Amino acid sequence: MRAARLIKMVLLLQSRPAMTAAELARELEVSERTVTRDAQALSEAGVPVYADRGRAGGYRLIGGYRTRLTGLARTEAEALFLSGVPGALREMGLEDVASAARLKVSAALLPSLRDAPRTAAQRFHMDAPAWFREPETPALLPVIAEAVWDDRRVTARYRRDGTEVERALEPYGLVLKAGVWYLCARIPEAGAFRTYRMDRFTAAEPSQTRFDRDEEFDLPGHWAEQAERFARSILRAEVTVRLSAEGMRRLPYAVDPVSVRDATPVAGAADDDGWVTLTLRVESEEVAHTQLTALGPEVQVLAPQALRARFALDARRLAALYSCP
């Protein structure tokens, strides 16, 4: 533990001209007294750490000293590519690995480039979770993530249709979609790929056996295909609507984008009032009622009749509410 801290201290001092004891203590998560002892230990070991006294003082390395400890380990290099998603790294148990990788890169940069990590961080940030809800980290995510990195088979139990199912899986990749984690895995006996929600796993036991990864497997492509297939599979009903120009503009934000992409090219031309009639595939009339309500007076439901009647009732209730003084 102390050896790792001493290495990190050297890398910190190598990446910056100087650091105060307070700054080092904060980065290393220790007391300033411990920083003083560690600096003394490094000096005794031959690392030229120099302490400037006074209010503006601090620690620095003398004579352009550079450590040879900046080589990236494989896991550090892999984690570095995910460093734009700090929450995801933390949930997978890779935050410390990514931190070490970034520190090694910073220490290896030329002095003129050492502000690159800070300037980049101030310009680009990825916030994966959806709005208006706090995502829950699946308890088994770190276990599965480790198996994904090591290409190890996993015996997992998960909830499906009210029962628990046990299955051997080859975990190929993890996907974070709007704050929800999914596992893309291959079923060895079937040779088929499946996608599982991580929060439905109740147990996971990594095996000592590694599997041979299909090098042609493309995680982003697989996910896009699965997402499209899922979206289409739940669109089992149809509604016919008229939409104003504003309604057409807002439609992709109200209903499933897959439905909009399918319906728009085959829609007729706008009528004399500038309204467009199209048929949308929806999950159900209940879902369509909720989604289309968001468009307010920019949409008119033509069919089915039961849904049209619901909107007519909504309109009468609204008129009654707003006719009151």
Side-chain angles (χ1 to χ4, degrees):
M1 182 70 177
R2 190 189 186 201
R5 189 175 71 242
L6 292 174
I7 291 172
K8 185 174 183 179
M9 184 174 179
V10 173
L11 292 173
L12 284 167
L13 293 173
Q14 186 172 311
S15 65
R16 308 177 195 182
M19 294 183 69
T20 66
E23 290 172 336
L24 284 168
R26 185 167 56 252
E27 291 283 352
L28 298 173
E29 298 181 350
V30 296
S31 66
E32 293 186 30
R33 185 183 297 274
T34 299
V35 168
T36 301
R37 288 198 297 264
D38 285 352
Q40 181 63 32
L42 287 172
S43 180
E44 292 173 356
V47 178
V49 177
Y50 178 76
D52 289 317
R53 305 298 179 185
R55 294 183 60 186
Y59 293 92
R60 60 186 176 85
L61 295 175
I62 301 174
Y65 176 85
R66 301 190 67 78
T67 178
R68 295 182 181 180
L69 298 173
T70 52
L72 287 175
R74 177 178 178 83
T75 55
E76 293 170 341
E78 290 170 333
L80 191 61
F81 288 100
L82 296 172
S83 60
V85 197
L89 284 170
R90 183 170 55 254
E91 292 175 9
M92 287 191 292
L94 295 172
E95 186 176 30
D96 290 342
V97 175
S99 176
R102 289 192 294 269
L103 188 54
K104 289 184 178 182
V105 170
S106 296
L109 291 174
L110 294 172
S112 60
L113 300 177
R114 284 181 184 159
D115 66 338
R118 181 186 61 80
T119 56
Q122 293 302 320
R123 288 166 173 80
F124 301 99
H125 174 67
M126 181 179 289
D127 184 11
W131 287 99
F132 308 125
R133 66 184 180 88
E134 288 293 329
E136 294 184 4
T137 303
L140 295 171
L141 179 60
V143 175
I144 297 293
E146 186 174 352
V148 169
W149 285 120
D150 292 341
D151 294 337
R152 292 188 183 276
R153 287 188 176 182
V154 171
T155 300
R157 293 184 63 83
Y158 62 95
R159 295 185 299 274
R160 186 180 68 182
D161 299 329
T163 62
E164 282 199 1
V165 178
E166 182 172 294
R167 178 159 286 170
L169 299 173
E170 295 177 349
Y172 265 65
L174 288 162
V175 175
L176 178 60
K177 170 68 172 178
V180 180
W181 284 96
Y182 296 85
L183 172 67
C184 298
R186 183 170 62 182
I187 303 173
E189 61 269 20
F193 287 93
R194 297 285 186 270
T195 302
Y196 304 88
R197 275 186 63 136
M198 280 296 308
D199 57 8
R200 292 179 183 167
F201 280 77
T202 59
E205 184 65 35
S207 167
Q208 294 302 312
T209 304
R210 284 189 167 89
F211 62 89
D212 294 325
R213 177 177 285 267
D214 182 353
E215 295 302 327
E216 294 184 0
F217 176 77
D218 173 31
L219 181 58
H222 172 79
W223 174 257
E225 180 182 334
Q226 291 291 309
E228 181 95 358
R229 184 181 304 170
F230 173 75
R232 293 184 186 282
S233 71
I234 63 174
L235 302 178
R236 302 186 182 95
E238 288 187 349
V239 300
T240 302
V241 296
R242 286 179 72 235
L243 293 147
S244 67
E246 176 63 15
M248 288 294 293
R249 185 188 70 80
R250 289 160 49 184
L251 185 63
Y253 304 100
V255 303
D256 195 295
V258 170
S259 179
V260 178
R261 289 200 302 269
D262 289 347
T264 303
V266 296
D271 59 24
D272 293 340
D273 296 324
W275 288 54
V276 174
T277 299
L278 49 78
T279 299
L280 294 167
R281 295 174 63 212
V282 294
E283 187 173 344
S284 66
E285 288 187 19
E286 184 69 32
V287 171
H289 178 258
T290 301
Q291 293 174 334
L292 295 174
T293 296
L295 298 178
E298 308 303 329
V299 62
Q300 178 188 14
V301 175
L302 303 179
Q305 185 58 38
L307 183 60
R308 179 180 172 87
R310 291 187 66 173
F311 274 91
L313 177 60
D314 289 347
R316 289 194 295 271
R317 293 180 61 192
L318 282 170
L321 285 173
Y322 285 99
S323 64
C324 298

